[in-house]
Amino acid sequence: MTTAHLDLKPKDYRSEVPPDWCPGCGDFGVLNALQRACADLSIAPHEILVVSGIGCSSNLPGFFRSYGLHSLHGRSLPVATGARLGNHDLHVIAVGGDGDGYGIGMGHLFHSMRRNINLTYIVMDNEIYGLTTGQISPTSLTGMKTKTTPEGNLEPPANPLLVALAAGCHFVARGYSGDQKQLVEIIKQGLQHPGFALIDVFSPCVTFNRVNTYDFFKERVKRLEDMGHDSADHMAAIEQARIWGDVIPIGIFYQSPDPRPAIDDQDPALQGEPLVHRELGLSAEQRRQLIHEMM
Amino acid sequence: MANHRVWGVNMSERRDVIVGIGGAAGDGVASAGNNLALMCARQGIGIFAYNSYQSVIRGGHSWFRIRASNTQPQSVGDRVDLLIALNQDCLDRHLQEVHPGGVVLYNSSKLKLPHAPPKDVQVCALPLEELVPEAGKLTIMQNTVALGAVIQLMGLPLEGIEKLIEQAYGKKGEEVVRSNRAAARAGFDRAKESLVPIDSPLTPGGKPLAWIIGNQALAYGGALAGVKLYVAYPMSPATGVLHWMAKHARRLGICARQVEDEIAVINMAIGASHVGVRAMCATSGGGFALMSEAIGFAAMIETPVVVINVQRAGPSTGVPTKTEQGDLNQAVGASQGDLQRIIVAPTSIEDACHTIPEVFNLAERHQLPVIVLSDLLISEGGTTVPPETLDFEPVIDRGELITEAPADIDPAASYLRYRVTESGVSPRAIPGVPGHLFVAASDEQDEDGVLISDVYTDPVIRKKMVDKRARKMVGVLRDIPAPALEGPTDAQVTLLGWGSTRGVIAEAAKRLTDEGITANHLQIKFLVPFHAAEVSAIIESAQKTISVENSESGQFARHLRAETGLSVDGHIRKYDGEPFEPKHIVEGVKAVLRGDEVVRVLSTEPGWRSEHPPVATGPTGTRTH
Ligand SMILES: Cc1ncc(C[n+]2csc(CCOP(=O)(O)OP(=O)(O)O)c2C)c(N)n1
Ligand code: SF4
Ligand SMILES: [Mg+2]
């Protein structure tokens, strides 16, 4: 869908409800970057549907002026998929946290990437469960002490980027809430990608995560574009996605130069006008044929 | 007996013929049954069919019963007149059940009678090797031979099967068609020559009927209602709906997709419905359990959605290919909190097809989820219907749906998605429409969609919004018909049932009345909301009320009690996996009249010698608790 060029500003995507995140929460940066990206791409607010799950990060639709759907914990992707299948003229953006997307919702994430439904998924990854006041998440580092791991986390963190690269996702990126410039660019690229785009964003929880702080990331994150990474190279993307230590790469890991067609572009029943605009019911001829099959 | 056999003991009473076809999965039981049903339907003969099968791909035991009559049968009946045994196991199990006057048909080149046939049962041996020498190792030809023989006994013309053979094998070439026609004729002739003639009560040649399976009826009903997205995860016995949708999707402009699990299924349906699409999904008990949380979500965000639960008994796998009305409790209790839903149970296959468009209107008018409870009896049962009853254009009422912005929209006026109204229903805008931005949330929210769940929690707003949603159920109740008592009001016995058992209970009520025990019948289709006042009045003025249900614990009787405060006097319960037959209810009623409170019935006759079904206790297949 193309919108006649509108002169949209980030403030046009600001809802009347002020975010109730803790002051300094990384999610503010993600909200700002998303508002800027949508303004830059001139997407009218009523043509956007932001779908979230449950978590501090999943409260984002309430603070973003567009259509919003704040769904169940872990279920943003199937809800967003249904919305997109129902109306492929909408820009459907799914957002949520690491617990929402990589914990309870991991099954849906894997299949959404494999299926390649055309939507953009932004995960505000704070390596903790924020809303439920500080328990480990699937991306929490080994050894991390939280309320549920008083002796330290025994499990290694999940690597969502490697999962995405294995699942056939053709747009795999990681941003950092503290690097607005790059984050806006990543989101814009993701929104324009003709298929499923996964954008993991380091979004520090200043209240419950004392390990993965702004200082932690500031010392380590390094832009892929400054390291000469070729985002069209799948193997190079895998190599970069494995790096975690003194240097943590951020940027677009993989953006296929030849993206495979999204499911919404392939399903014969979805070609032409969106399902929502189709006439309901069956024609007399369709009924006649169907009844004929039963005789 | 003279040289003329009659069907059953008293010919004047015989209006139908019941054929049982049994074999292992892979023997072609279902296709033989379908073909026979189709041949009858094309001759205007009414059919009711039920397939008891095992969920194994090969082996196991499949038992397809077809009841054929000049008028539409409402249940599968309770006899076997013509037994087509496709393997030894079937012969061993079912020979004993064949009714006096009936015939057993089998391939005597391969199978042997395990014992003498019951009294007054003729044997129609159909030696495939002799009748169709060219069949060679193709034992599947025995089905064609048996069908040829059985239609002769039923009084159907040979041309019917010849036409079917052409349609089925035309693509395989002339030779295949020719040999199958020869096989059918051989069977037809053998039946004619070798048996004492039988007068069939069937009069073929009537107006052709459509032959439809319950899951097709549900799917077709969805298409009629304007379903544009159908998502599912395969689970028997609901998969037939997905198969139908996938097969017809492209032609009908429906998107039908198999997705990763039932949680995804329901959430996708809700997502699509939220943007204005009529979306439907179907599953069985276990999948429905996974959908539970999202059903409350749909109710909370006031997004309509239609979910079919073809009930199965037990967790994955339970008894997946058997029938039970075991998920009423689950449907009533599905999801968290105190949220709205409609629960409806179609009362026949034909009704299933009409119910779906009807409940889509209710879902959209009142903006809430609808749970359709089907079961194996409906979903995989088959029936004939006059084709014109399927050829209808249902009313489509989308309720207060805003699909485009009015030209004179005031950009300053804010749209309240959850505006408090007297009916509780608020005009629903779909995403994409300018000037109506809102956020819908599983969190409690105010009229404008702003969350009040945590930080802003406000008891006044919470109560206001709960009340608003709850008020919608008043309107729903007004929109749905109250159940009506069928039969004489002053009957000695009032039978109460719900959903799929309508036909068999009606038949039992009639039989009881014929036998001198006057019976009437109340069948409940809408379980939630419930017409408590009307049902209470009926129960209170009844002489003796008896609930009839496919449930061990009496979920329906409990539901009645919860809704009306009234208990029924007697209970007839069946949970052996097989559907009620009229005789089970008749015997059950007699047992209640003798003083039993709960009668647990079984599809087994005392004295049957094989393991199928296991030995029963009590009179005529009923066992009191
Ligand atoms: C089915 C279900 N289980 C558990 C919860 C409780 N819960 C809400 S948010 C959450 C975790 C949130 O973590 P994350 O997704 O990382 O979001 P964050 O708050 O960190 O942004 C949990 C466990 C729930 N709402 N629903
Ligand atoms: S608890 Fe953490 S994640 Fe939640 S708002 Fe506060 S800082 Fe953000
Ligand atoms: Mg988190």
Side-chain angles (χ1 to χ4, degrees):
Chain A
M1 174 175 47
T2 48
T3 312
H5 189 79
L6 303 165
D7 190 20
L8 286 159
K9 301 272 182 319
K11 71 168 176 31
D12 294 316
Y13 301 89
R14 207 167 293 154
S15 88
E16 284 159 24
V17 182
D20 58 1
W21 291 310
C22 306
C25 175
D27 297 347
F28 283 101
V30 178
L31 177 65
N32 290 341
L34 182 61
Q35 289 166 332
R36 160 68 63 195
C38 288
D40 285 0
L41 296 175
S42 292
I43 312 173
H46 72 269
E47 293 174 348
I48 301 173
L49 176 65
V50 183
V51 183
S52 67
I54 299 293
C56 294
S57 41
S58 290
N59 288 344
L60 183 143
F63 318 133
F64 186 87
R65 195 174 153 273
S66 74
Y67 280 100
L69 187 41
H70 188 165
S71 76
L72 298 172
H73 191 34
R75 312 302 167 206
S76 64
L77 286 175
V79 172
T81 300
R84 172 76 195 179
L85 294 174
N87 185 352
H88 53 252
D89 281 349
L90 286 175
H91 291 269
V92 181
I93 302 167
V95 302
D98 42 327
D100 198 68
Y102 307 145
I104 191 167
M106 186 50 145
H108 302 307
L109 173 58
F110 183 81
H111 292 287
S112 302
M113 295 191 290
R114 196 175 60 81
R115 178 177 297 130
N116 199 25
I117 177 87
N118 190 352
L119 46 92
T120 306
Y121 185 34
I122 302 173
V123 180
M124 288 159 259
D125 187 354
N126 55 11
E127 297 84 17
I128 196 88
Y129 281 13
L131 190 70
T132 46
T133 70
Q135 302 84 12
I136 45 157
S137 98
T139 50
S140 294
L141 298 180
T142 310
M144 186 170 180
K145 286 192 175 177
T146 69
K147 286 176 186 157
T148 51
T149 51
E151 313 291 332
N153 183 18
L154 296 177
E155 299 175 19
N159 187 327
L161 304 185
L162 282 179
V163 172
L165 289 163
C169 184
H170 273 191
F171 186 99
V172 182
R174 177 160 64 202
Y176 168 43
S177 168
D179 184 344
Q180 278 292 299
K181 195 153 171 286
Q182 191 202 43
L183 184 56
V184 170
E185 197 45 43
I186 293 174
I187 295 176
K188 281 165 67 176
Q189 293 289 327
L191 288 171
Q192 290 170 285
H193 175 72
F196 191 94
L198 174 68
I199 305 173
D200 179 84
V201 186
F202 292 137
S203 179
C205 170
V206 294
T207 307
F208 295 111
N209 191 333
R210 300 296 155 84
V211 178
N212 309 104
T213 59
Y214 285 102
D215 286 339
F216 173 94
F217 288 115
K218 201 156 67 196
E219 281 168 19
R220 292 172 172 82
V221 294
K222 204 160 168 215
R223 290 178 171 185
L224 283 165
E225 50 274 35
D226 298 342
M227 302 193 278
H229 172 64
D230 175 7
S231 64
D233 183 340
H234 194 254
M235 292 312 287
I238 292 174
E239 283 306 315
Q240 292 295 344
R242 294 178 58 192
I243 298 171
W244 182 283
D246 293 342
V247 167
I248 301 176
I250 56 170
I252 297 175
F253 286 69
Y254 184 57
Q255 182 171 20
S256 169
D258 181 19
R260 78 192 156 98
I263 199 78
D264 17 344
D265 292 328
Q266 285 189 67
D267 189 325
L270 290 175
Q271 306 317 302
E273 72 179 340
L275 298 180
V276 61
H277 298 317
R278 296 185 189 171
E279 206 175 319
L280 301 193
L282 299 175
S283 69
E285 177 54 21
Q286 285 172 328
R287 291 199 302 273
R288 197 192 60 73
Q289 283 182 15
L290 293 170
I291 295 167
H292 181 74
E293 286 178 13
M294 304 172 199
M295 296 187 69
Chain B
M1 203 164 281
N3 67 343
H4 216 73
R5 297 260 179 165
V6 294
W7 291 89
V9 187
N10 184 346
M11 182 157 163
S12 64
E13 275 183 8
R14 182 52 49 88
R15 293 195 192 84
D16 52 14
V17 180
I18 302 175
V19 184
I21 306 176
D27 280 341
V29 173
S31 84
N34 269 302
N35 283 337
L36 182 57
L38 199 54
M39 281 189 279
C40 290
R42 288 174 175 178
Q43 291 292 330
I45 306 280
I47 293 287
F48 188 104
Y50 180 78
N51 189 11
S52 289
Y53 65 100
Q54 294 184 337
S55 68
V56 287
I57 305 307
R58 297 200 82 80
H61 179 62
S62 264
W63 180 227
F64 197 117
R65 270 172 302 166
I66 294 173
R67 187 181 188 190
S69 165
N70 294 329
T71 52
Q72 178 60 45
Q74 298 299 326
S75 82
V76 78
D78 37 25
R79 305 183 316 270
V80 180
D81 298 315
L82 302 176
L83 171 66
I84 301 180
L86 297 178
N87 68 357
Q88 188 62 43
D89 180 44
C90 170
L91 209 46
D92 295 347
R93 289 170 192 256
H94 297 291
L95 177 60
Q96 60 195 347
E97 295 168 47
V98 184
H99 218 68
V103 179
V104 49
L105 304 96
Y106 69 106
N107 174 3
S108 54
S109 302
K110 193 179 81 172
L111 313 178
K112 284 198 171 47
L113 289 186
H115 51 82
K119 192 166 170 294
D120 285 335
V121 169
Q122 297 194 77
V123 174
C124 182
L126 300 165
L128 182 67
E129 284 169 14
E130 178 190 319
L131 294 172
V132 194
E134 71 260 42
K137 291 213 161 55
L138 265 181
T139 41
I140 197 76
M141 288 278 253
Q142 70 180 9
N143 299 15
T144 315
V145 174
L147 283 182
V150 94
I151 62 168
Q152 197 282 328
L153 297 173
M154 293 170 84
L156 299 175
L158 188 62
E159 297 84 73
I161 197 164
E162 293 182 332
K163 186 171 163 203
L164 262 184
I165 287 168
E166 254 148 53
Q167 286 172 336
Y169 302 113
K171 283 202 200 98
K172 295 192 179 167
E174 200 132 314
E175 185 47 34
V176 181
V177 172
R178 200 202 53 75
S179 58
N180 273 283
R181 287 175 69 140
R185 174 170 288 277
F188 191 89
D189 291 345
R190 178 57 61 102
K192 199 164 156 185
E193 292 153 8
S194 68
L195 299 183
V196 181
I198 288 174
D199 279 337
S200 169
L202 306 177
T203 44
K207 226 172 138 251
L209 298 168
W211 158 244
I212 185 167
I213 307 293
N215 277 337
Q216 288 174 357
L218 290 163
Y220 177 68
L224 281 172
V227 166
K228 291 287 172 250
L229 182 77
Y230 184 83
V231 272
Y233 186 77
M235 187 168 191
S236 300
T239 313
V241 184
L242 173 60
H243 288 170
W244 192 96
M245 284 290 184
K247 180 175 169 198
H248 296 94
R250 188 174 193 164
R251 208 177 348 134
L252 303 179
I254 296 172
C255 174
R257 302 209 60 81
Q258 175 184 332
V259 299
E260 63 266 27
D261 56 40
E262 289 88 349
I263 300 178
V265 165
I266 180 78
N267 283 289
M268 285 182 193
I270 292 170
S273 184
H274 190 77
V275 302
V277 171
R278 281 194 161 183
M280 182 169 90
C281 52
T283 182
S284 184
F288 185 78
L290 293 180
M291 295 181 174
S292 187
E293 185 186 21
I295 287 170
F297 170 49
M300 187 72 173
I301 61 170
E302 303 194 43
T303 291
V305 67
V306 174
V307 184
I308 300 169
N309 175 1
V310 186
Q311 303 165 84
R312 79 154 56 164
S316 138
T317 303
V319 277
T321 54
K322 302 290 154 201
T323 199
E324 188 163 299
Q325 296 177 302
D327 279 352
L328 178 55
N329 282 355
Q330 191 187 187
V332 171
S335 211
Q336 60 293 304
D338 213 0
L339 286 155
Q340 293 67 38
R341 77 212 47 204
I342 294 172
I343 303 177
V344 63
T347 58
S348 70
I349 292 170
E350 189 182 337
D351 184 48
C353 160
H354 290 263
T355 297
I356 301 296
E358 191 183 329
V359 299
F360 263 103
N361 291 347
L362 289 171
E364 288 211 301
R365 279 170 58 85
H366 303 281
Q367 303 177 11
L368 39 68
V370 175
I371 300 165
V372 180
L373 290 177
S374 177
D375 52 25
L376 196 89
L377 180 59
I378 290 229
S379 275
E380 295 203 355
T383 190
T384 44
V385 285
E388 56 278 10
T389 63
L390 298 173
D391 190 9
F392 66 100
E393 228 175 308
V395 175
I396 290 186
D397 178 356
R398 308 208 63 185
E400 297 186 58
L401 189 67
I402 303 169
T403 55
E404 53 188 40
D408 57 350
I409 188 164
D410 173 4
S414 58
Y415 163 69
L416 300 179
R417 166 64 186 97
Y418 299 106
R419 190 157 56 90
V420 171
T421 60
E422 213 178 301
S423 65
V425 178
S426 328
R428 173 165 82 104
I430 55 171
V433 175
H436 293 77
L437 301 182
F438 71 95
V439 180
S442 55
D443 294 52
E444 185 60 283
Q445 53 207 326
D446 201 351
E447 294 180 67
D448 54 6
V450 173
L451 308 192
I452 63 150
S453 45
D454 288 328
V455 238
Y456 310 117
T457 296
D458 178 331
V460 176
I461 301 180
R462 164 69 179 166
K463 179 167 183 303
K464 174 182 79 174
M465 299 310 288
V466 171
D467 288 342
K468 164 199 147 35
R469 289 188 296 265
R471 275 200 299 280
K472 296 195 293 188
M473 293 307 281
V474 178
V476 178
L477 189 64
R478 226 174 5 235
D479 277 1
I480 62 176
L485 193 65
E486 288 171 45
T489 36
D490 58 347
Q492 287 160 272
V493 170
T494 296
L495 301 175
L496 295 110
W498 69 284
S500 63
T501 51
R502 173 185 211 120
V504 69
I505 299 177
E507 189 173 341
K510 183 165 176 308
R511 209 182 279 184
L512 283 162
T513 305
D514 290 348
E515 290 185 21
I517 303 169
T518 53
N520 59 21
H521 171 204
L522 184 69
Q523 194 74 9
I524 307 290
K525 174 171 170 175
F526 283 93
L527 284 307
V528 173
F530 195 83
H531 276 289
E534 290 83 348
V535 174
S536 298
I538 290 169
I539 294 179
E540 277 168 343
S541 60
Q543 292 179 39
K544 193 153 194 99
T545 50
I546 302 174
S547 67
V548 181
E549 56 181 310
N550 286 118
S551 147
E552 187 278 329
S553 65
Q555 297 186 13
F556 170 63
R558 184 195 292 144
H559 188 65
L560 275 177
R561 204 159 64 236
E563 292 289 343
T564 64
L566 300 171
S567 301
V568 290
D569 303 315
H571 306 255
I572 302 175
R573 298 179 185 165
K574 192 167 193 291
Y575 45 91
D576 59 358
E578 297 301 319
F580 278 108
E581 296 174 11
K583 69 181 175 200
H584 299 136
I585 301 171
V586 169
E587 294 301 326
V589 167
K590 290 177 183 169
V592 169
L593 293 177
R594 284 195 301 270
D596 287 345
E597 192 185 331
V598 182
V599 183
R600 299 168 190 274
V601 300
L602 197 57
S603 280
T604 312
E605 303 274 338
W608 278 357
R609 48 181 106 190
S610 74
E611 283 181 359
H612 169 78
V615 176
T617 54
T620 340
T622 60
R623 181 157 56 92
T624 56
H625 68 134

